[in-house]
Amino acid sequence: MKTTFTTVDLLAIVAELKQRIQGMRVVQVYDIDARTYLIKLQKPDNKCILLLESGSRIHATDYEWPKSPAPSGFSMKLRKHLKNKRIESVEQLGVDRIVDLTFGSGDAQHHVIVELYDRGNIVLTDKSYNILNILRPRKEGEDVRFAVHEKYPVERARGAKDPPTLENLKAAVASAKDNTPLKKILNPLLDCGGGVIDHHLLEAGFPPSAKLGNHLKADDDLTQLHQAATKAQAVVTAWGEKTQSSGYIIKKVENRTKSDGTVEEVHIFEEFIPMLYAQYANRPHDKFPSFNMACDEFFSKMEAVKIDQKAMQQEKEALKKLANVKQDHMKRLQDLSNMQKNNILQGQLIELNKDLVEKAILVVRSLVANQIDWRQIGELLDEAKTRGDPVALSIKELKLEKNTIALSLSDPYDFDEDDLLLDSDEEREEGHESTKMRPMAVEIDLDISAMANARCYYDQKRQAAKKEQKTISASAKALQSAEKKTRQTLKEVAAITNINKARKVHWFEKFLWFISSENYLVIAGRDMQMNEMVVKRHLKPRDVYVHADLHGAASVVIKNPSGKEPPPKTLHEAGIMALCYSRAWDEKVVTSAWWVWGDQVSKTAQAGEYLTTGAFMVRGKKNFLPPSHLVYGFGFVFRLEEGSIARHAGERRIRSLEEDSDAKESLENLSINEEELILDDKDEEQENIIKEEDEEKDEEFKVENENVSMKEEDSEGEGDNEDAKDELEEDRNQSVEFPDTVVEIAHIGGDQFALRPRTVSTTSQISQSSVGGGEEEEDKVVYLGDDKPVQVNRNKNNSISKDSKGKKGKNRQDSLSNTQQNNKNAKQQQKEIDNNKGVPPKRGQKGKLKKIKAKYRDQDEEEREMRMQLLQSMGNAKESKKAKGNKKDIADDLNIVNALTAQPVAEDELLYAIPVCAPYSTMANYKYKVKLTPGPGKKGKACKTALALFMGDKTSTTREKDLLRAVRDNDLSKNLPGKVKVSAPNIHKVRK
C-alpha cells in the first residue's frame, strides 16, 4: 500500500493548496502524534484544516482526527510564532519533495518547511530561514547541519531536469545490461517517477514491464522511447500551470471467505494518484473531483483498510489450517494403505524365498556366534559377493545393532521373456520397460525363522488395516470439527472487524475514568500534564475536585451536571481513585482523600506569590473523606444501541444502603460501615451549620474591611479599625483552620520520593512581637511536596516598612485576615471585583453593598438565574454561544454515560465493549469484573487472566464474547494502577 507522496503527487497537491489556503489565517495548531500536526485555518467565509505528516503527506482534511491530550513542545512553538498570521504562499522547493509554507510578512514572517522524503522533517524558521525549531535535528556531511540557530539550505533544492536528448538516451541504453527494465533506464533521466514513466511507455506501445533486449531492439524503438521520455518529463514542467486535477484511488480486489462458506469480494485501497495512469485503467478505482479529496479519503480510511487486511490475513491463516488438516488426514490414510500393501508384499517375498532367507539368517548367526568383529563380518560378506555367492549377494545391509539384516528379495517366478533377448543394461535403458517386479529390500529379524518373519509382516498389515478403519471412521468427525472451528474463526474475525470499525473512542477514555455507582462520570489525569488539563479544561465551578495528600496522587474530577452535592458513595469512590493512582498503591498505605468544589481550585496565586508548574491553589475548606482501603477492580462496560438504552434506565440510580445489599457487602469489604458514614455526614452537617452562623456574624465586618489593604485609611476610619482589631484577631484564629492550600500535581509513576503531604498552607503566620505590631515581618518560604518553594515576593507597593504608629504593619495584618475570610466567598468577591473593574468601592458604596448582600444572602446561582429569566433581563434573554456549548456538552456527557451498561441482557443490542478500572465497590453489579489489590503481577498478564476468566463464563452470549475479543491488548491494561494481584471466584482454574 502506498503511504507517501511522489514528486508528481506533491506538484498536484501544492497547486490545489495555493488556491485553497493562501490568504487564510492560523487559528490554532494541534498535534495528532509526534509526526503529524494539524493547522486550523480561517478567513471570513471559509474554514480549513491543514494536515502535515513528516515524511509522508500534506493536504487539507475534512475528517475529524484525534488530537493529542496535551500539546507537545513543537506544537507550542508553532502556536507561538504562527497564531493569527496569514498564509502568504505555498511553494514546492524545486522538484524536491519539500514544501515551504510562508506565514506573515515583513519582520514577523515565518516559514514552515515540510520534508516528505526519507524519514521526513518539519522545520520552523524566521524570515531569513534561520531555524527556530526542528522536529528531527540531523547532520548531512561535515558542512550541513539541520539544527536550531542554523540556516535552512533552501538553495540546495534541485531544479527540474531538461527533457533527455536522443544522444543521452542512446548512451543510457548502451550502458545498461540486457533484461534491464526500461523504467529503470529512464528513471535517472527524469523527475516524474515510476508511475508516470510506466504510463507513457504503455501509451508509446511498449508492453508492461518492458525490458532491454526483449522489447527494445531497433532504432525505431529508440525513437519511440525518446518520445515517451519527453512526454513524461513534460508532466513535471507543465503541472505548475494547473490549479486543480482529478484524484483517483486505485483498489485491489481480494476474495474473503465468509463463515457460511460463501466468497465475497473485498476492495482494498492500494494507491492514490493525480491522473489515471494507463496501467491502472482496467483496475477498480474511485474518482474524486480533486486530488486533495482523494488523499484525504485514502488516509482517513487507511485504518479501516488495515483492519480489512488484517482480517483477510487471519481468514487466510484459518483456511490454510483447515487445508493442512485435510491434507494431513489424506496423507495419513495414504500412508496406511501403502503400508498394508508393502507388508503383504514383504511377507509374500519371504515365503517365496524361504530357503534363501534361512541360509542368510544361518550365515550371519554363525559369524556372530564365533565372536567375529562386525567390521570383519562385513569384509567377509564383501569377499563372498566378489565370488558370486548368492546368499552374500542377497544381503544388502547389516543392521547388527538392531539384530536384523536387510535382504534384497524378488519373486523368482516373475520374469520378462523379452529381458532374455537384451544384451546389456544400456539397451534396457534405451526404451524397453520391463514388466518384472523390481527387487525389494526386506528387513529380517535374526532371532526368528523365515516364516516367523513373514508372519510378523502379516500382523503389521492387519494392524495397519485396523488403524486405517479407525482413521476413516474418525475422519468425518475430525474434519467436521476442523471445519466448525474454521467457520467460528471466520465469524469471529468478521465480528471483530465490524466492531473495530464501529468503535468510537470517547473523549474521557484518554484519561483515567469510571462511572460511579450513582451514574456520575469521574475522570483523572494519567500524568502531570493531563492532571493540569483535567483541572483547566474539564473542572467546572459546580464539579467536585478530589485529591489526596500523597505524592503522585491524581487530580480527580467528578462531573456534576446537576450542581448539587454528589452522594457520599460517589465521593468515597472518587477518593479511592485518587489514592490508588498514587504512591499509596505501591507502599500499601491506607489513608483518606478530601474534596472541594471546582470554584475553590484555581491556577492563580495570591498577590506576591507564584505557583510552580503543575500546581494549583485550593482556597477554603477541605472536606475529608473516610479512610479507604486499596481495593480496585477491572471489568467491562458495553455500549448499547439506542433502542436498548431505555431498558437500563436507573440501574445506577442513588440507592439507600437498606435496598442495596451489594453495596453493603462492598462497604464491609472496604471496612466502612453505615454508622461511620452517618456520623461523618452528621459531623459535616453540624460543622456547616456552625460555619454559616459564623459567616452571618462576620458579614458586616467583612464588607467594611474587604479593601482595607488597597488604599490609605482616612482619619474617620482609624477609629473603626482600632475597634475592629480584637475581632480581626479572633477571626484570624478561626480562619487558620481552613488555610489556602497549594496542590502540586506530579506524575503517577514519578521519582522515588518518600510518602509525605504535598499540600501546605500559603498563609504566612504573623508574629506579634509587640502590642503595636510595628515590627517588620520577615519573608517566608513555603515548600511544596516536590521540594520546590513558593516565593513570597516583596515590591514597592506591598513592602513593609516601620513607622511610629505601625499603620502599614497593621494594614498588612488586616489584609491577610481579610483574604482568609473572603476565601469563603471567593466566587461572590470575584464578581464584585469584575463589576467594579478592579477599582475599590467608594465610601458611599459600602452601605449599599452591605444592604445588597443582606438582601440576597440566601439566594444561590440557580435561583438568581430563574428570577432573571422571569424578569426577562437582557443579561439572560439570549444565551451566549459558550453557555449553549456548555449545556450541549453536559447533555452529550449524560447521553454517553447512560448508553453504557455493565449488566447486559440477552435482548440488548451491543455495539462494542470498553475496559474500565474502578473502585471495586462500584462494580458490585458488573457482569464481568475481578478484584485488584497491590501485588507482584504485571498489568498485561493480569488483564489476560481476567479476560480468559470472562471468556469462560457460561452465561456469556456469543455477541459478548466477540466484543470482549475485539478489545485491543494495549487498551486492556492502560488504566491499571500498577502491579496487581487478581482475585475472583474460580480464577485458579484459569491460571492452571
Side-chain angles (χ1 to χ4, degrees), residues 778-811:
E778 296 180 357
D779 291 353
K780 294 196 175 183
V781 178
V782 183
Y783 288 89
L784 299 177
D786 61 351
D787 297 335
K788 294 181 180 178
V790 174
Q791 292 288 353
V792 182
N793 299 328
R794 298 289 191 261
N795 52 31
K796 294 181 180 180
N797 295 329
N798 62 4
S799 60
I800 303 174
S801 61
K802 297 181 182 179
D803 61 4
S804 57
K805 294 182 180 179
K807 177 187 276 187
K808 290 193 176 180
K810 182 181 67 175
N811 286 345

Side-chain angles (χ1 to χ4, degrees), residues 699 703 848-858:
E699 186 71 29
V703 174
K848 187 176 180 180
L849 287 173
K850 179 178 178 181
K851 291 178 181 179
I852 292 173
K853 289 184 178 181
K855 183 176 181 179
Y856 299 106
R857 180 192 310 164
D858 299 327

Side-chain angles (χ1 to χ4, degrees), residues 9-33:
D9 295 340
L10 198 56
L11 286 168
I13 203 70
V14 167
E16 293 186 14
L17 290 178
K18 284 181 179 180
Q19 299 296 318
R20 183 168 181 179
I21 68 173
Q22 275 189 184
M24 303 183 82
R25 291 189 181 274
V26 177
V27 178
Q28 191 56 282
V29 179
Y30 307 97
D31 54 304
I32 298 175
D33 53 43

Side-chain angles (χ1 to χ4, degrees), residues 833-847:
I833 293 174
D834 291 341
N835 292 335
N836 293 315
K837 299 182 180 180
V839 179
K842 298 179 180 179
R843 186 183 307 172
Q845 293 177 334
K846 291 185 179 180

Side-chain angles (χ1 to χ4, degrees), residues 621-906:
K621 177 185 175 183
K622 295 189 296 185
N623 306 280
F624 281 87
L625 298 168
S628 306
H629 288 277
L630 302 173
V631 182
Y632 226 57
F634 171 78
F636 283 92
V637 294
F638 297 87
R639 174 65 164 88
L640 295 166
E641 197 272 334
E642 296 299 326
S644 304
I645 295 176
R647 191 178 294 113
H648 295 268
E651 69 181 8
R652 288 189 290 263
R653 68 182 186 276
I654 299 176
R655 295 180 173 87
S656 63
L657 293 179
E658 288 77 8
E659 68 173 333
D660 192 355
S661 59
D662 292 335
K664 284 184 180 180
E665 182 179 354
S666 299
L667 290 175
E668 289 173 359
N669 291 336
L670 296 172
S671 302
I672 300 173
N673 53 36
E674 295 179 28
E675 289 76 16
E676 289 175 342
L677 288 175
I678 293 171
L679 287 175
D680 289 338
D681 291 341
K682 286 183 177 179
D683 291 342
E684 186 174 348
E685 183 179 359
Q686 185 67 25
E687 189 175 1
N688 289 335
I689 292 173
I690 294 173
K691 179 182 175 183
E692 290 176 1
E693 292 175 354
D694 291 341
E695 289 177 351
E696 291 177 2
K697 183 187 298 182
D698 299 334
E699 186 71 29
E700 180 178 356
F701 164 76
K702 182 179 68 176
V703 174
E704 295 292 337
N705 295 278
E706 60 184 354
N707 290 296
V708 69
S709 63
M710 300 178 62
K711 62 183 181 178
E712 292 290 333
E713 294 291 339
D714 55 17
S715 58
E716 295 178 3
E718 290 181 358
D720 294 338
N721 283 334
E722 291 293 328
D723 295 338
K725 184 175 181 180
D726 295 335
E727 191 172 355
L728 270 169
E729 192 68 34
E730 181 182 354
D731 182 70
R732 182 163 57 251
N733 293 335
Q734 290 180 355
S735 64
V736 79
E737 184 180 356
F738 306 120
D740 294 347
T741 304
V742 173
V743 180
E744 175 66 24
I745 309 300
H747 194 284
I748 293 174
D751 298 333
Q752 302 294 325
F753 290 110
L755 289 170
R756 61 178 183 271
R758 296 172 52 255
T759 58
V760 297
S761 172
T762 60
T763 304
S764 303
Q765 300 294 327
I766 303 174
S767 61
Q768 304 256 341
S769 61
S770 63
V771 178
E775 183 176 355
E776 184 178 0
E777 183 189 6
E778 296 180 357
D779 291 353
K780 294 196 175 183
V781 178
V782 183
Y783 288 89
L784 299 177
D786 61 351
D787 297 335
K788 294 181 180 178
V790 174
Q791 292 288 353
V792 182
N793 299 328
R794 298 289 191 261
N795 52 31
K796 294 181 180 180
N797 295 329
N798 62 4
S799 60
I800 303 174
S801 61
K802 297 181 182 179
D803 61 4
S804 57
K805 294 182 180 179
K807 177 187 276 187
K808 290 193 176 180
K810 182 181 67 175
N811 286 345
R812 176 160 178 78
Q813 292 178 5
D814 294 345
S815 176
L816 288 171
S817 178
N818 223 11
T819 302
Q820 293 173 348
Q821 182 65 25
N822 289 343
N823 281 336
K824 300 175 182 178
N825 299 285
K827 186 175 179 181
Q828 185 65 27
Q829 182 181 2
Q830 186 63 38
K831 286 185 178 180
E832 294 169 5
I833 293 174
D834 291 341
N835 292 335
N836 293 315
K837 299 182 180 180
V839 179
K842 298 179 180 179
R843 186 183 307 172
Q845 293 177 334
K846 291 185 179 180
K848 187 176 180 180
L849 287 173
K850 179 178 178 181
K851 291 178 181 179
I852 292 173
K853 289 184 178 181
K855 183 176 181 179
Y856 299 106
R857 180 192 310 164
D858 299 327
Q859 189 181 89
D860 58 12
E861 285 296 319
E862 186 176 1
E863 182 182 355
R864 178 180 179 276
E865 184 176 356
M866 292 175 63
R867 287 180 179 272
M868 295 295 284
Q869 289 177 354
L870 289 173
L871 294 172
Q872 294 185 355
S873 169
M874 291 301 294
N876 288 332
K878 293 184 178 180
E879 289 183 322
S880 65
K881 291 183 179 179
K882 184 175 181 181
K884 290 181 180 179
N886 289 338
K887 288 188 176 182
K888 183 180 182 299
D889 290 342
I890 291 172
D892 291 343
D893 290 349
L894 289 175
N895 291 337
I896 293 172
V897 170
N898 292 332
L900 300 177
T901 182
Q903 306 172 51
V905 295

